[in-house]
């Protein structure tokens, strides 16, 4: 039996007949027990994308993401998930399920996938873990929503912090608005144009706070405040992420690191420092990187 608390008031008691109780310490474990059955069955049929000896066909966090190089294989995975859900008396929500095609043949007209008796449409973009992924020949991401959310948060702080000291105001922007621009930036590969646009968004904060004109550069001013522009902030996040991967005890993460990020390491001299400094801490590496930037 559970209750809902609103301030100091409680609702009447009622029983939870489906799902798990939100906020309970037991809920994640129960969720993992049930969802692991889907992963085990998908792994047994050996359907999905392969990276060397790894089979990556199902990614799980709060939502299930199925990955397959063929349409027939994807349909088989959906059918398998449906059969497992029937055994467990669970139900998928087809209205919140979508398919997206990424690759050389993405422009082909593909018949809708089916989940049970319901069709799942192919869409131009999906949002997964807060990141908008675009349909197309190669993996790409949409920054439109990121910019809208960023300016919405900035304007909210501007409206409430007009009388604050400029540096205090900047600290608020760094605490509440900057993370919107840098969310998932360690793993998302933005194009040069997209990263420049995000950097311009962050520079606009300095221009508005400190009275710069739109055509004036604030790069030197940012360095004078002992801060980094967004290009280097994103690179700092990537360095920290790669460092944690390279120092992880998980063989799976090591394989992902070398398969997916190996090319990026070879193209970036700063990131090579991480590979050559297994005994160094992330703080030492970051200080070395920061001294190069300022």
């Amino acid at each position: 039996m559970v209750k809902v608390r609103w301030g100091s008031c409680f609702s009447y008691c009622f029983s939870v007949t489906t799902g798990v109780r939100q906020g309970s310490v037991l809920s994640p474990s129960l969720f993992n027990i049930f969802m692991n059955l889907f992963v085990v069955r998908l792994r047994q049929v050996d359907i999905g994308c392969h990276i060397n000896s790894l089979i990556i066909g199902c990614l799980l966090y709060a939502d299930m993401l199925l990955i397959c190089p063929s349409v027939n294989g994807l349909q088989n995975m959906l059918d398998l998930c449906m059969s497992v859900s029937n055994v467990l008396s669970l139900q998928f929500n087809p209205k919140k399920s979508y398919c997206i095609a990424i690759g050389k043949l993405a422009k082909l007209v593909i018949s809708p996938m089916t989940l049970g008796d319901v069709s799942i449409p192919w869409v131009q973009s999906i949002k997964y873990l807060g990141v908008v992924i675009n349909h197309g020949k190669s993996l790409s991401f949409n920054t439109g929503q990121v910019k809208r959310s960023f300016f919405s948060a900035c304007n909210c702080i501007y409206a409430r912090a007009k009388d604050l000291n400029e540096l205090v105001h900047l600290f608020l922007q760094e605490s509440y608005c900057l993370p919107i621009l840098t969310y998932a930036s360690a793993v998302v590969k933005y194009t040069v144009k997209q990263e420049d646009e995000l950097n311009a968004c962050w520079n606009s904060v300095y221009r508005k706070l400190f009275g710069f004109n739109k055509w004036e550069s604030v790069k030197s001013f940012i360095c004078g405040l002992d801060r980094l522009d967004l290009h280097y902030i994103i690179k700092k996040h990537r360095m920290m992420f790669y460092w944690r991967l390279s120092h992880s005890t998980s063989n799976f993460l090591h394989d992902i690191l070398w398969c997916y990020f190996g090319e990026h390491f070879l193209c970036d001299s700063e990131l090579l420092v991480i590979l050559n400094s297994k005994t160094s801490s992330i703080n030492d590496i970051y200080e070395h990187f920061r001294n190069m930037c300022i």
Side-chain angles (χ1 to χ4, degrees):
M1 302 297 288
V2 297
K3 294 182 179 180
V4 176
R5 185 179 69 179
W6 181 268
S8 58
C9 300
F10 291 86
S11 71
Y12 58 87
C13 292
F14 61 95
S15 60
V16 178
T17 57
T18 59
V20 293
R21 189 176 67 169
Q22 188 171 0
S24 170
V25 294
L26 186 60
S27 295
S29 298
L30 294 174
F31 176 82
N32 289 338
I33 290 172
F34 279 87
M35 297 308 296
N36 186 60
L37 297 176
F38 290 94
V39 178
V40 171
R41 288 291 292 119
L42 289 169
R43 188 176 294 172
Q44 288 174 348
V45 297
D46 193 25
I47 302 176
C49 294
H50 292 70
I51 299 180
N52 292 341
S53 60
L54 295 175
I55 304 174
I56 303 178
C58 177
L59 301 179
L60 272 172
Y61 190 72
D63 299 317
M64 179 185 290
L65 179 66
L66 300 180
I67 307 173
C68 192
S70 69
V71 174
N72 291 334
L74 179 59
Q75 185 60 64
N76 290 336
M77 296 173 78
L78 290 171
D79 294 339
L80 182 61
C81 289
M82 196 65 191
S83 65
V84 174
S85 67
N86 291 333
V87 173
L88 298 175
S89 297
L90 298 177
Q91 289 184 347
F92 287 102
N93 187 352
K95 294 182 179 179
K96 293 184 178 180
S97 301
Y98 304 96
C99 295
I100 186 171
I102 300 173
K104 295 180 179 179
L105 304 179
K107 290 186 177 181
L108 296 179
V109 178
I110 307 174
S111 300
M113 300 288 97
T114 57
L115 186 59
D117 298 330
V118 182
S119 296
I120 303 178
W122 292 89
V123 296
Q124 297 297 310
S125 64
I126 61 171
K127 187 175 183 180
Y128 185 70
L129 299 181
V131 177
V132 179
I133 304 173
N134 292 328
H135 152 100
K137 289 185 177 180
S138 59
L139 182 64
S140 62
F141 304 89
N142 192 315
T143 58
Q145 184 173 343
V146 174
K147 291 184 286 186
R148 289 192 294 271
S149 299
F150 170 75
F151 283 120
S152 177
C154 286
N155 292 334
C156 185
I157 292 179
Y158 282 133
R160 291 167 173 78
K162 294 179 180 179
D163 299 327
L164 291 179
N165 175 273
E166 287 87 351
L167 291 179
V168 175
H169 194 155
L170 178 60
F171 176 78
L172 292 175
Q173 297 283 356
E174 291 172 330
S175 300
Y176 295 101
C177 303
L178 181 59
I180 298 175
L181 291 180
T182 59
Y183 176 74
S185 61
V187 294
V188 172
K189 285 190 174 182
Y190 291 128
T191 64
V192 174
K193 181 180 178 181
Q194 286 177 322
E195 194 169 308
D196 286 341
E197 290 174 350
L198 295 179
N199 185 60
C201 292
W202 183 234
N203 287 348
S204 68
V205 172
Y206 285 92
R207 289 192 175 92
K208 188 167 184 177
L209 275 180
F210 298 98
F212 284 87
N213 295 310
K214 291 183 179 181
W215 59 85
E216 292 181 285
S217 173
V218 294
K219 186 174 182 179
S220 299
F221 182 78
I222 293 174
C223 292
L225 291 178
D226 195 28
R227 285 168 166 82
L228 302 175
D229 68 12
L230 191 68
H231 291 296
Y232 288 110
I233 291 174
I234 291 176
K235 189 165 288 190
K236 181 198 73 173
H237 284 289
R238 286 176 181 159
M239 288 185 66
M240 295 176 66
F241 177 70
Y242 294 157
W243 186 88
R244 291 190 178 100
L245 283 183
S246 65
H247 287 71
S248 171
T249 58
S250 169
N251 292 329
F252 172 78
L253 293 179
H254 284 167
D255 289 339
I256 294 297
L257 173 69
W258 289 108
C259 292
Y260 188 72
F261 296 108
E263 182 180 352
H264 197 80
F265 271 124
L266 298 177
C267 297
D268 198 318
S269 58
E270 285 84 6
L271 294 180
L272 280 172
V273 176
I274 297 174
L275 295 180
N276 297 324
S277 56
K278 284 286 186 179
T279 59
S280 300
S281 68
I282 186 59
N283 291 330
D284 295 335
I285 296 173
Y286 173 56
E287 285 303 319
H288 169 75
F289 169 70
R290 185 181 179 85
N291 292 333
M292 294 174 59
C293 300
I294 298 180

